[in-house]
């Protein structure tokens, strides 16, 4: 399959803690993206990291990419209740232009 | 001003009926998509259009037919609805060279 697989499926943390989720994939990629989906809403793009990049930051978000291990991680620092959502990795394979999504990690931030 | 808008947001209908979901984007993007999200949140691409031309057509039953009257609109028509069609359908748009997609709020279809 060409989609990523997120791990863990679900994560529950206390407000202020960091949340880390991982995405593993099996094919060569052009880029990998992370999206957030709040309950009952559409997906919102967070970060895109290209295959020749190793790390990107955006506010409290940090994404890493290890193409040798075919994995990426998303770190949310100093989590807030508003970070409660599902987080999806999506990748574009090298031999394709379709963006394929995994099943997501559901993050719950407890106040 | 909503970037990608879908209507209706909720759709409840009987098996065998035909229904349509409309999508419009005001971002000036060339490419539009339909994704289906099942009850386990897995998102699967269904169709993609670039400048009104179909470029992605995944293994989707023929009962599903997309139509793009212009590059700002991509509608989805579903014939002879089945129970398994119950899902949330998302429209998205993007520029081919950036990769980032902008999603609508989804249309939740329930087939009884």
């Amino acid at each position: 399959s060409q989609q990523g697989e997120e791990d863990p499926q679900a994560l529950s943390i206390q407000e202020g803690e960091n949340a880390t989720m991982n995405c593993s994939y099996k094919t060569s990629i052009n880029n990998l993206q992370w999206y957030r989906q709040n309950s009952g809403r559409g997906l919102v793009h967070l970060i895109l990291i290209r295959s020749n990049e190793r790390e990107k930051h955006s506010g409290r978000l940090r994404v890493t990419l290890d193409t040798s291990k075919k994995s990426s991680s998303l770190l949310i620092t100093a989590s807030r209740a508003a970070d409660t959502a599902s987080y999806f990795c999506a990748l574009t394979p090298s031999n394709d232009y379709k963006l394929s999504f995994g099943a997501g990690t559901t993050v719950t931030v407890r106040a | 001003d909503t970037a990608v808008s879908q209507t209706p947001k909720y759709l409840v209908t009987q098996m065998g009926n035909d229904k349509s979901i409309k999508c419009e984007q005001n971002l000036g993007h060339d490419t539009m998509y339909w994704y289906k999200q099942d009850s386990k949140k897995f998102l699967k691409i269904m169709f993609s259009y670039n400048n009104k031309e179909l470029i992605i057509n995944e293994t989707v039953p023929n009962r599903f037919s997309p139509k793009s009257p212009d590059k700002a609109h991509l509608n989805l028509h579903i014939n002879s609805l089945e129970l398994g069609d119950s899902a949330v359908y998302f429209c998205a748009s993007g520029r081919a060279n950036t990769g980032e997609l902008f999603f609508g709020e989804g249309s939740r279809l329930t087939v009884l």
Side-chain angles (χ1 to χ4, degrees):
Chain A
S1 66
Q2 293 188 321
Q3 70 259 20
E5 291 186 17
E6 291 93 341
D7 174 65
Q9 287 187 327
L11 185 58
S12 179
I13 56 173
Q14 201 73 32
E15 203 165 26
E17 292 179 341
N18 295 343
T20 300
M21 59 213 85
N22 303 295
C23 174
S24 60
Y25 56 92
K26 295 180 181 177
T27 186
S28 297
I29 61 170
N30 285 329
N31 63 62
L32 187 145
Q33 304 180 47
W34 286 91
Y35 287 77
R36 184 188 74 231
Q37 183 181 30
N38 291 90
S39 181
R41 306 296 297 274
L43 282 78
V44 174
H45 180 262
L46 297 176
I47 288 185
L48 181 151
I49 187 164
R50 300 192 187 283
S51 59
N52 60 353
E53 297 175 311
R54 292 297 167 257
E55 189 170 309
K56 284 190 86 167
H57 296 255
S58 176
R60 293 182 297 110
L61 305 179
R62 173 177 165 246
V63 167
T64 63
L65 178 65
D66 187 334
T67 52
S68 65
K69 293 182 180 177
K70 290 187 166 55
S71 69
S72 174
S73 68
L74 170 65
L75 167 68
I76 306 172
T77 60
S79 63
R80 305 167 181 169
D83 295 327
T84 294
S86 292
Y87 293 82
F88 295 84
C89 71
L91 53 94
T92 306
S94 299
N95 62 349
D96 204 347
Y97 46 83
K98 285 180 289 191
L99 190 61
S100 298
F101 287 79
T105 294
T106 300
V107 175
T108 304
V109 181
R110 305 185 307 274
Chain B
D1 205 15
T2 306
V4 181
S5 59
Q6 304 177 220
T7 55
K9 188 169 174 64
Y10 299 98
L11 196 49
V12 181
T13 188
Q14 299 286 333
M15 263 195 324
N17 284 350
D18 304 338
K19 290 294 176 187
S20 292
I21 306 171
K22 295 185 177 181
C23 179
E24 176 182 3
Q25 56 98 2
N26 62 5
L27 297 168
H29 291 157
D30 296 326
T31 310
M32 296 185 72
Y33 305 79
W34 278 110
Y35 280 85
K36 178 181 179 181
Q37 187 173 44
D38 63 22
S39 58
K40 296 184 178 177
K41 296 191 178 178
F42 180 62
L43 265 165
K44 183 174 170 56
I45 190 168
M46 300 173 69
F47 302 103
S48 176
Y49 271 74
N50 182 269
N51 280 321
K52 301 194 296 176
E53 182 182 339
L54 181 66
I55 57 171
I56 296 174
N57 186 353
E58 291 295 281
T59 309
V60 176
N62 290 338
R63 300 181 294 102
F64 290 79
S65 54
K67 283 188 173 53
S68 182
D70 55 62
K71 74 174 194 177
H73 295 83
L74 180 61
N75 304 322
L76 183 65
H77 188 78
I78 315 169
N79 289 328
S80 304
L81 280 157
E82 300 177 356
L83 292 177
D85 297 333
S86 295
V88 182
Y89 292 85
F90 285 97
C91 176
S93 74
R95 293 189 202 280
N97 59 348
T98 66
E100 175 185 353
L101 294 189
F102 292 78
F103 281 80
E105 292 293 285
S107 297
R108 180 176 291 277
L109 171 65
T110 303
V111 182
L112 304 175

